[in-house]
Amino acid sequence: MKNVVRKKITSLPNITQPLDESNLPVIDRDDYNKRIHALFKLANGKYSHFIIYADREHFSNVEYFTGYDPRFEECLLILQDGKKPVLVVGNEGISYAARIPYGIDVVVYPAFSLPAQPRNPAIKLSKIFADAGVGQDSAVGIIGWKVFDQNDFADFNNQFDLPAFIMQELLTVTKSANLRNAVSLMVDNETGLRHNLCAKELVLCEVSGTKSSRSTYEVLKNLREGISELEASRYLHIDGDPISTHPNINFGHNYFYALASPSHTQRLKKGDIVGAGMAYRRSLCHKVSFFVEREDELDPSKVKEINRIYNTYFSAVSVWYESLGIGVTGGEVYENVKKAVGDYKAFNIGLNPGHCIHTEEWTNSPFYEGCSAKIHSGMAIQCDFTSADEKSGIGVHAEDGVVIADEEMRKAMSRIAPLSYARIQARQDFMRNVLGIRIADEVLPTSDIPGIVFPFLGDLSTVLANQ
């Protein structure tokens, strides 16, 4: 294991450079049509139809094929190979659906609308299915958002996460034997469409990561004694881009709630543990450390343990980044991190050491024991594992994102978004030459505070580094 030291830095990559969002890549009609074609190609003739569900939280699979996501309601996208897609929406989706940039039939199903809204025209969902060609001989792939396996159900391919009223209507026009859970076509760690992104999408991940990390850093550099969590959250400077999780600013004991929104009552004190994070779609950045300027401001009885945990944690983060590479399995990364921390449970790590990300915060994860799925070009991944022990009051976290791109993909990204690619190269240089994390060329950091563990949030010029 490398020797971990505290290091003074004078600058961060890109942090002072303005972000120009005036000429970003656009996912256009050709891209959406290619995605629909790719779905049927991946299915290899197994399905005649796909029925894809979305609601406000679980929107990503419908959005991937249309650019449409429900703002209040639910919706269904019905796909039949070679036929015009059908989008089933509630009352308030009809106008928004007009932004879809290709030919699609939009049908209003009043039961998808909010309570007490008009229920005209009266139409049964079963008729909508039948009109879209779903019948007794159809082979239907159901795409919700949950991936089940044998640990969940013996017959996991026949378990569905769509609301019961939708399934009941579907079973009036086709047989249960015709239905299969097809979510894996979207989020399988190796073959899933949303884990095989094009250069445009990877650039959008980079832009999102830039924004999320800069928002997080703005909060950290404006911390002061007496500020409330809610007041600190104002420094996120959130714009109108959609977010994938709630803003996450917590002080003291509130940090150990893990998912709590900022409060107006919890105020920052010297020595408090702080968690600060932000997530636009396709990215998340989150940092956890103590609000002190120097080691002697920490609880003297905890200093030795804090240093042990922080140094071990940074070593594990370094191993995570250095283990990534095209062809490496998720299981290998998992084992390498495990060697660095000794034991996940004993080190108070409760979840996977990282996961895939897209327009929602967590799509799937190849980072678990024995996983044979290989890291490949086109993936967007989060370094995300927390060591948190409420009993001792010690916690640390440094979550940032990367995208994986082979040489051909890197050339495409550089061609369509040279400023984005230049930011990536600056981060690679920072991680290698300042932090001492030797990432591979195909590992492209999307955060402007990449891999950084701050030992003292009162002094952001001090970071942990490998010597």
Side-chain angles (χ1 to χ4, degrees):
M1 188 175 294
K2 300 175 183 177
N3 186 36
V4 177
V5 298
R6 293 173 190 160
K7 188 171 187 177
K8 288 287 187 180
I9 60 173
T10 57
S11 63
L12 292 167
N14 314 309
I15 205 76
T16 61
Q17 299 174 11
L19 178 63
D20 182 3
E21 296 181 81
S22 62
N23 194 31
L24 299 182
V26 175
I27 307 301
D28 57 27
R29 62 180 297 162
D30 290 340
D31 295 310
Y32 290 122
N33 286 323
K34 287 177 183 177
R35 290 174 176 183
I36 294 171
H37 177 74
L39 176 64
F40 282 96
K41 183 178 180 180
L42 185 60
N44 197 27
K46 188 175 181 180
Y47 301 106
S48 63
H49 293 77
F50 288 99
I51 294 176
I52 307 173
Y53 174 78
D55 62 20
R56 184 68 195 92
E57 292 296 323
H58 311 114
F59 62 89
S60 289
N61 290 321
V62 167
E63 194 272 344
Y64 178 80
F65 292 110
T66 64
Y68 172 94
D69 60 313
R71 293 298 162 116
F72 301 104
E73 308 160 325
E74 298 160 290
C75 75
L76 291 175
L77 178 65
I78 306 173
L79 300 178
Q80 183 178 9
D81 198 14
K83 303 290 185 178
K84 185 184 289 188
V86 177
L87 184 68
V88 187
V89 301
N91 291 333
E92 296 190 72
I94 185 67
S95 297
Y96 184 39
R99 70 176 292 173
I100 297 173
Y102 61 85
I104 189 168
D105 287 334
V106 180
V107 181
V108 177
Y109 175 54
F112 280 170
S113 304
L114 301 182
Q117 287 189 355
R119 288 302 193 257
N120 293 315
I123 187 170
K124 299 293 185 183
L125 189 55
S126 56
K127 184 177 187 309
I128 296 174
F129 287 138
D131 288 347
V134 180
Q136 290 296 308
D137 296 324
S138 299
V140 183
I142 303 293
I143 298 178
W145 69 285
K146 282 281 189 182
V147 178
F148 301 113
D149 63 23
Q150 62 275 9
N151 295 308
D152 302 309
F153 305 100
D155 189 10
F156 56 89
N157 285 321
N158 288 322
Q159 297 295 331
F160 310 104
D161 58 338
L162 274 63
F165 76 95
I166 295 176
M167 296 302 297
Q168 289 167 356
E169 287 290 284
L170 181 58
L171 289 172
T172 66
V173 297
T174 193
K175 297 172 289 189
S176 61
N178 294 346
L179 309 180
R180 287 290 184 274
N181 188 318
V183 180
S184 62
L185 294 173
M186 303 303 299
V187 296
D188 179 87
N189 284 310
E190 282 193 295
T191 61
L193 295 181
R194 293 200 291 120
H195 296 155
N196 286 273
L197 303 175
C198 66
K200 283 184 179 181
E201 279 261 39
L202 296 188
V203 168
L204 294 175
C205 290
E206 188 282 327
V207 173
S208 176
T210 301
K211 295 176 66 170
S212 293
S213 60
R214 290 184 180 185
S215 291
T216 300
Y217 187 69
E218 280 296 308
V219 172
L220 296 179
K221 76 178 187 180
N222 283 287
L223 295 175
R224 63 182 185 276
E225 285 193 88
I227 194 172
S228 73
E229 294 171 337
L230 197 60
E231 289 168 338
S233 73
R234 294 171 189 162
Y235 290 101
L236 290 170
H237 302 306
I238 298 172
D239 64 21
D241 263 354
I243 62 176
S244 59
T245 69
H246 61 279
N248 191 206
I249 313 294
N250 302 118
F251 305 153
H253 69 269
N254 280 4
Y255 160 69
F256 293 99
Y257 296 141
L259 299 176
S261 295
S263 76
H264 67 280
T265 56
Q266 187 77 358
R267 296 190 173 274
L268 185 60
K269 304 186 299 297
K270 184 65 68 73
D272 275 350
I273 194 167
V274 172
M278 178 60 195
Y280 289 103
R281 290 181 184 177
R282 299 183 177 89
S283 72
L284 190 146
C285 180
H286 189 255
K287 302 290 178 176
V288 175
S289 188
F290 289 94
F291 181 62
V292 294
E293 295 179 35
R294 306 177 306 276
E295 182 178 291
D296 61 14
E297 294 176 323
L298 293 167
D299 183 339
S301 67
K302 298 179 181 179
V303 169
K304 184 176 180 179
E305 183 67 358
I306 290 171
N307 286 337
R308 180 189 74 82
I309 289 173
Y310 274 52
N311 289 352
T312 302
Y313 179 82
F314 179 73
S315 292
V317 167
S318 300
V319 165
W320 188 92
Y321 281 106
E322 292 181 344
S323 297
L324 285 184
I326 292 174
V328 176
T329 69
E332 290 176 90
V333 177
Y334 176 92
E335 290 299 330
N336 290 342
V337 173
K338 183 178 180 181
K339 290 176 184 177
V341 300
D343 178 83
Y344 281 105
K345 186 175 181 180
F347 200 65
N348 295 299
I349 296 174
L351 301 178
N352 313 59
H355 56 88
C356 299
I357 193 170
H358 191 229
T359 46
E360 75 270 65
E361 195 272 333
W362 184 305
T363 55
N364 204 345
S365 176
F367 304 114
Y368 59 86
E369 186 174 9
C371 180
S372 61
K374 292 181 179 180
I375 306 301
H376 57 270
S377 185
M379 297 182 83
I381 307 175
Q382 292 292 114
C383 179
D384 178 13
F385 54 99
T386 300
S387 176
D389 179 22
E390 186 173 4
K391 185 176 180 180
S392 70
I394 300 174
V396 61
H397 191 207
E399 179 174 359
D400 300 287
V402 299
V403 296
I404 308 299
D406 59 20
E407 185 176 5
E408 182 179 354
M409 184 77 81
R410 295 197 297 273
K411 288 179 180 178
M413 293 174 67
S414 178
R415 184 172 60 253
I416 65 176
L419 294 178
S420 176
Y421 196 72
R423 287 193 294 269
I424 287 168
Q425 291 179 304
R427 295 170 190 137
Q428 288 180 318
D429 181 73
F430 177 86
M431 294 184 75
R432 291 165 178 159
N433 298 318
V434 178
L435 300 183
I437 301 176
R438 304 298 179 181
I439 57 175
D441 289 345
E442 62 262 37
V443 179
L444 313 186
T446 62
S447 166
D448 274 341
I449 42 178
I452 291 179
V453 175
F454 294 107
F456 315 127
L457 291 182
D459 175 17
L460 298 182
S461 68
T462 300
V463 300
L464 296 186
N466 295 311
Q467 190 175 57

